């Protein structure tokens, strides 16, 4: 739908709301707050009454698509993404559950001897063979995270033969028989490095969230050590808290 269909049984305000949703989605990909046309301009553009336009904007505001500033106009905020830290899910699984379109670009995959900190995290001897997998994650064509995963080569031989743009967790479980059970994650805020800034399309030094995660199989074996950088202006982490006792 690109214009209001006067013959459609769908109310005009619902048609306009749908048109504006599509417009907002396309503008969000540019990564900036988007100001909608004024009520008067929208009424003129679509041949509708101001009351109908206001009804459509009310619906968008109620559903969280826009917010209004009195005397200024209606705005669509930059889309933010969130991750529930109480669940052990991969980025691919999390985005799929939310119905969002995730694109993964594999930047590199290489076998190498584990550095000291990687070996410590994976409970391996220093220099043990691991795979280093670097990937860039994008939603709505906007880069949101750079992720580097280290996996013991003994647990996932010939990893390079697989589709590494798909869910890594699903691959580990389905092909390598590793039942993923738990994880330990540490978060901190810091500035983006030159490489991270270039990949995430942000200025160097921009605040980002840095996460380290160790994922364990049901047997207690560490199967992945992940270093991830998330855009601070696009991603939120959510934790549900309860009082003890």
């Amino acid at each position: 739908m690109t214009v209001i269909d006067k013959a459609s049984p769908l109310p005009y305000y619902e048609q306009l709301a749908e048109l504006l949703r599509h417009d907002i989605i396309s503008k969000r990909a540019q990564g900036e707050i988007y100001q909608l046309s004024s009520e008067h301009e929208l009424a003129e553009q679509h041949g509708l009454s101001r009351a109908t336009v206001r009804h459509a904007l009310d619906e968008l505001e109620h559903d969280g698509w826009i917010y209004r500033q009195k005397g200024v106009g209606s705005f669509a905020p930059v889309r933010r993404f969130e991750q529930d830290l109480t669940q052990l899910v991969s980025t691919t699984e999390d985005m799929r559950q939310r119905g969002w379109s995730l694109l993964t670009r594999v930047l590199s995959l290489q076998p190498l001897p584990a550095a000291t900190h990687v070996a410590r995290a994976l409970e391996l001897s220093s220099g043990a063979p691991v795979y280093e997998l670097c990937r860039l994650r994008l939603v709505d064509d906007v880069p949101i995270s750079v992720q580097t995963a280290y996996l013991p080569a003994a647990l996932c031989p010939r990893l390079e033969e697989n589709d590494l743009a798909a869910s890594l967790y699903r691959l580990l479980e389905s092909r390598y028989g590793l039942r993923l059970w738990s994880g330990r994650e540490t978060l901190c805020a810091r500035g983006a490095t030159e490489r991270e800034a270039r990949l995430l399309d942000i200025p160097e030094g921009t605040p980002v969230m840095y996460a380290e995660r160790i994922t364990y199989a049901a047997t207690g074996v560490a199967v992945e050590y992940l270093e991830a950088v998330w855009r601070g202006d696009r991603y939120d982490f959510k934790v549900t808290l309860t009082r003890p006792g």
Side-chain angles (χ1 to χ4, degrees), residues 14-87:
E14 289 189 12
Q15 294 187 50
L16 178 58
E18 185 63 20
L19 287 173
L20 293 175
R21 287 189 194 96
H22 284 290
D23 196 23
I24 289 169
I25 289 172
S26 66
K27 297 294 184 181
R28 275 177 170 169
Q30 300 174 17
E32 298 179 354
I33 294 175
Y34 165 53
Q35 182 172 6
L36 280 68
S37 300
S38 68
E39 288 185 8
H40 175 73
E41 290 170 335
L42 288 171
E44 289 286 324
Q45 291 168 10
H46 298 283
L48 301 172
S49 68
R50 292 278 295 273
T52 299
V53 171
R54 194 172 299 115
H55 195 170
L57 294 176
D58 287 343
E59 182 173 282
L60 292 176
E61 183 177 32
H62 178 269
D63 292 340
W65 284 85
I66 65 170
Y67 64 91
R68 285 150 146 171
Q69 291 185 1
K70 189 173 182 179
V72 180
S74 300
F75 299 85
V78 172
R79 185 178 186 182
R80 297 184 68 88
F81 312 97
E82 66 177 33
Q83 180 178 340
D84 186 348
L85 293 180
T86 60
Q87 298 181 357

Side-chain angles (χ1 to χ4, degrees), residues 116-245:
T116 301
H117 74 288
V118 174
R120 184 183 304 114
L122 293 174
E123 301 174 12
L124 301 172
S125 58
S126 184
V130 296
Y131 281 106
E132 179 191 72
L133 171 62
C134 299
R135 301 188 294 179
L136 178 66
R137 321 307 289 271
L138 305 94
V139 177
D140 293 343
D141 293 324
V142 175
I144 61 169
S145 181
V146 180
Q147 302 177 355
T148 302
Y150 297 91
L151 305 108
L155 296 180
C156 47
R158 300 163 72 177
L159 184 64
E160 66 279 0
E161 297 179 358
N162 299 281
D163 178 10
L164 299 177
S167 170
L168 185 58
Y169 277 12
R170 180 169 296 181
L171 173 65
L172 293 174
E173 291 181 321
S174 63
R175 172 159 183 178
Y176 296 108
L178 298 168
R179 184 185 175 200
L180 305 184
W181 187 254
S182 64
R184 187 171 72 246
E185 187 154 350
T186 303
L187 300 172
C188 71
R190 63 168 174 78
T193 65
E194 185 279 329
R195 176 178 179 272
E196 293 162 355
R198 174 168 42 82
L199 291 171
L200 293 174
D201 194 24
I202 56 177
E204 184 177 354
T206 297
V208 294
M209 287 300 298
Y210 172 71
E212 293 183 358
R213 177 191 291 183
I214 304 173
T215 302
Y216 299 91
T219 58
V221 174
V223 299
E224 179 203 37
Y225 169 59
L226 177 70
E227 297 176 341
V229 175
W230 300 88
R231 281 182 57 161
D233 64 335
R234 287 304 185 94
Y235 214 86
D236 298 319
F237 292 91
K238 180 179 68 175
V239 180
T240 300
L241 304 176
T242 57
R243 285 181 60 80

